[in-house]
Amino acid sequence: MKIVLQKVSQASVTVNNEIISKINKGYMLLVGISTEDTLDDVNKLSNKVLSLRIFENPENSEDFWKLNIKQIEHGQILSVSQFTLLARTKKGTKPDFHMAAKGHVAIELYNHFLNNLRKELGEGNVKDGQFGAMMSCGLTNEGPVTILLDSKN
């Protein structure tokens, strides 16, 4: 399982020219589920996302890396399933997506991931895109802070 985590001041997902999800301060996540992933991978990375200390102390904006998403006021997550994170590009010029989990498997693990996040942050503070749809993602990256997470590393 791979995640691209970005600290954002706002993020949104658009499908067919309509904004379907939108958040303010928090994380934009791009989540890739591989053929090798299990519930252990999902639990490991959902815990990591929730516990990473990426936010500054609100009493001292120069006091970085102190708080996690659960500790900040109004912290939200916008998560988007993205099988292309599993692309192999070693050979040729066309990406190989064979390491990405098939849709029916990926959606089950992805929904478990979202449920883990919602248990900790609350239902309304975790939004997602539309699984399997062509989406346009917009965000304002703060920092910029972008972190790559991999359940196998």
Side-chain angles (χ1 to χ4, degrees), residues 36 84 86-91 94-99:
E36 300 172 351
T84 61
L86 284 300
R88 288 186 178 171
T89 58
K90 189 172 183 176
K91 294 182 184 177
K94 182 180 176 188
D96 175 356
F97 300 112
H98 286 94
M99 287 306 296

Side-chain angles (χ1 to χ4, degrees), residues 2-6 45 52 85 146-150 153:
K2 294 183 180 189
I3 297 176
V4 176
L5 179 152
Q6 294 182 289
L45 286 192
L52 274 175
L85 290 178
T146 302
I147 296 175
L148 304 175
L149 302 173
D150 188 332
N153 292 331

Side-chain angles (χ1 to χ4, degrees), residues 15-16 23 37 41 44 48 63 78 117 122 124-125 130 132 137:
V15 176
N16 296 325
I23 65 160
D37 291 333
D41 296 287
K44 178 180 179 179
K48 181 63 79 173
D63 196 6
L78 177 53
L117 299 178
N125 289 322
Q130 183 177 329
C137 301

